[in-house]
Structures are given as structure tokens and as C-alpha cells.
Amino acid sequence: MGLTSGWFAALLIAAAVAAVAGAVLLWPRMRGPRVLQVALRIGMIVMCQVTAILVVMVTVNNEYGFYASWDDLLGHANSGGATRQAGKAGPPAPEVPDYGVKFASYSQGFERATVHGWESGTKGDVIVWLPPQYAKPEFAHTRFPVIEVLHGIPGTPHSFLRGMRLGQIMQDQISAGRAEPAILVLPTITPDRVNTGCADVAGKSKVETWLTHDVVKTISHNFRTLPAPRGWAVMGISTGGYCAARLALEHPETFAAGAALAPDDPSKGVRSPLWLARTTHPDTRLLVESSLQDRESPPKFADWITGAAQAPTEVSTLELSSGGHNWNTWGRMFPDAFTWVSARLEAPRAVPLAPSAAP
């Protein structure tokens, strides 16, 4: 039974009701020594409290999408772990890495695959959404821009399908003419179950290489994508927002633009966004979106980056007047963020590229 299934929530509610009903019925009927009666009554109180807390926790999780599955909760989801273990010889690496991957239908129009990171030495889940235009005959020779969308921590790519209908948000922007059709790519930012701030950290994980090389090459090989950097952008929420700012500033050769939605503190971490903005001055476009009521990601974070950036770097900011650090607020941020990013990417077009396996 899935962590987010309706049946599991119903079962917990039934258990909570049964615990209260049982306590009411059995409380005056206790028999035996007084110590035993006290122990049983304490047990009933604890049972009522535990079942009630579980109901609240599952309800909050289903509402905000913190964990999408039992594996997600236990830290096993979307993480293949390192492909080689120290002291153990793995299978020989192919002379030419094979980026061909079979993406299978998943949920809400998304497709999913476990991707092997040939350069990062890891692997993890990658979820893809294709705009409706992608499959239409008149677009058969058209290549599309790509937006990598990065989740927060705790969380996984699957969290976007619980916390919001991300594909529908993008489709609404496309239908309204506020965004060009684009491919959404949702990779895990913790392929080795460790938070590195999307940096390559020796002895831990090469997440930066995973996101900027392995994921990019895999998607480019399997789908009709525009070339980087004009055809690629990165965006994210919370820790993923921090990562989006960092990767856009660190890799202008890969991403033409980045959008950081309610990012973590940009002054912290390895080669932090604030440090990059102050010292590297890349030719890139960055959006930092925040809420006045978000104590975890206040508007001052955007002010720091804006104050540090110098030409040719361009930083834009957007502020919501209300909303905390949660899925409801991020869901209100995404429409404007998609519109902003789309305006800074190439529109879908037919472009001659080297032959690929992209359907």
C-alpha cells in the first residue's frame, strides 16, 4: 500500500477512530490490579495519540508532497548509488558511453527512466514531460527547448507530481501564449543520497557533473532538443532553487538562463551562488523569486545576488506578497517563472544537428 494512496490515509483514519472508540468503551471496564489498569489506560491514550499524529502527518505529506513513496521516505528513492564500489571491480566501462535510455510512461503525462551517469559515476531517476506539440506530425522535425526542474530537500523528482501538477502548469502557459512549448526534465539532485548543493564534492557525489553532463547528454540523445546553451535552462525550488542559481552562474555554456524559486541561503556552500555572482560575471540570465512571508527564503537573498552581479550577468527578481516555504507558494511562482524562462530560450524550430537516437 503506497504512502500517498487514499486507502492508506483511510486506513489510518479508521485506526484513529477505532482507538478513540475503544478507549471510550473500555476505560470504565478495566479489571485487575490497579497497576495493570493504569498501564492499560496509558496504553490506550498513547494509541490514540499515535494514530492521530500519523493521520496528521500523512495528510500534510499528501497535501505538500514532501515524500512520494515509502522508498522516498526511507531515503532509497531515485538513487542508484555509486556505480562502482571502492575495492571492487565493476563491469568494464564501454569505450563509447551509451546514452540510449528507454523512458516508460509514468504519471500525469510524464515519462520516467533510471539514467546511468557515465561521467559522474552515479545513476538516478529522471522524469520527463513532453509538450503536446512534440508528438504532432507537423512538429516531427522540430527540436524543442529544455528546462531542467530541480526539487528541494527533503524531496525527489516524484515530489512535483504530488505537490503540484507541473505539466499542467506548463501546458496552461503554452496554451495562453505566455510560454513556448518546452521539454521539462526532472532529475534527482541526490543521486548518491547526499546533499552537496549540486556541486561535485570529492568522496561524496559528483552531482554537478550529473546534472550538467550526464542528464543533458541523455536527454539530448533520446529527445529532439535544441542545442545548449540557447536551448537549455535550469530552475528549481528551495534547495533546487539554490542549485538552479548556482548551475546557471557556473555553467553558462550549458544553460542560457536559470530561475531560483525560494532558494536556500545563496551565501553558503561550495562555490555558492553569491560567490559566483560576485567573482565570475558569466553571460547568463537569472531570476530569483521569493515571498515576503517566507522566512526560510526571504527577499534579501535575491537582493544579495542582485547586488553582487555585474554585467554581462543579468538578475531579475519577482516577489509574492504572501505565502510561506511550501508547495502552495511554489505552485503560484511557477507560471511566471515558466514565462520568464521561455522568453530567454530559443523557440522550437527545425535545426540540423548530428544524427541521434531521438524519436
Side-chain angles (χ1 to χ4, degrees), residues 86-241:
K88 295 184 179 180
E95 293 184 6
V96 179
D98 181 10
Y99 290 98
V101 176
K102 177 64 176 178
F103 281 81
S105 178
Y106 181 45
S107 176
Q108 298 179 20
F110 284 82
E111 300 177 11
R112 178 181 63 175
T114 297
V115 171
H116 187 117
W118 296 105
E119 295 189 41
S120 64
T122 188
K123 62 181 178 180
D125 273 6
V126 177
I127 303 175
V128 173
W129 180 85
L130 300 174
Q133 290 82 357
Y134 191 93
K136 293 182 178 180
E138 60 267 34
F139 288 89
H141 302 289
T142 299
R143 292 182 177 269
F144 293 79
V146 181
I147 305 173
E148 280 194 27
V149 185
L150 310 180
H151 60 85
I153 296 176
T156 67
H158 309 263
S159 301
F160 282 109
L161 279 65
R162 291 296 307 176
M164 66 180 71
R165 299 187 68 85
L166 192 64
Q168 186 61 53
I169 293 175
M170 184 62 181
Q171 179 55 50
D172 290 344
Q173 296 304 99
I174 295 171
S175 299
R178 291 188 289 267
E180 296 285 351
I183 298 170
L184 303 183
V185 177
L186 285 55
T188 176
I189 66 171
T190 53
D192 292 310
R193 306 175 191 173
V194 58
N195 177 16
T196 68
C198 295
D200 286 351
V201 178
K204 290 186 177 181
S205 185
K206 298 177 69 174
V207 180
E208 185 171 342
T209 299
W210 158 256
L211 294 172
T212 60
H213 291 276
D214 294 325
V215 172
V216 171
K217 289 184 177 180
T218 298
I219 298 303
S220 298
H221 186 85
N222 291 277
F223 299 96
R224 300 193 308 274
T225 67
L226 287 170
R230 287 297 303 154
W232 285 71
V234 60
M235 61 193 301
I237 58 170
S238 193
T239 303

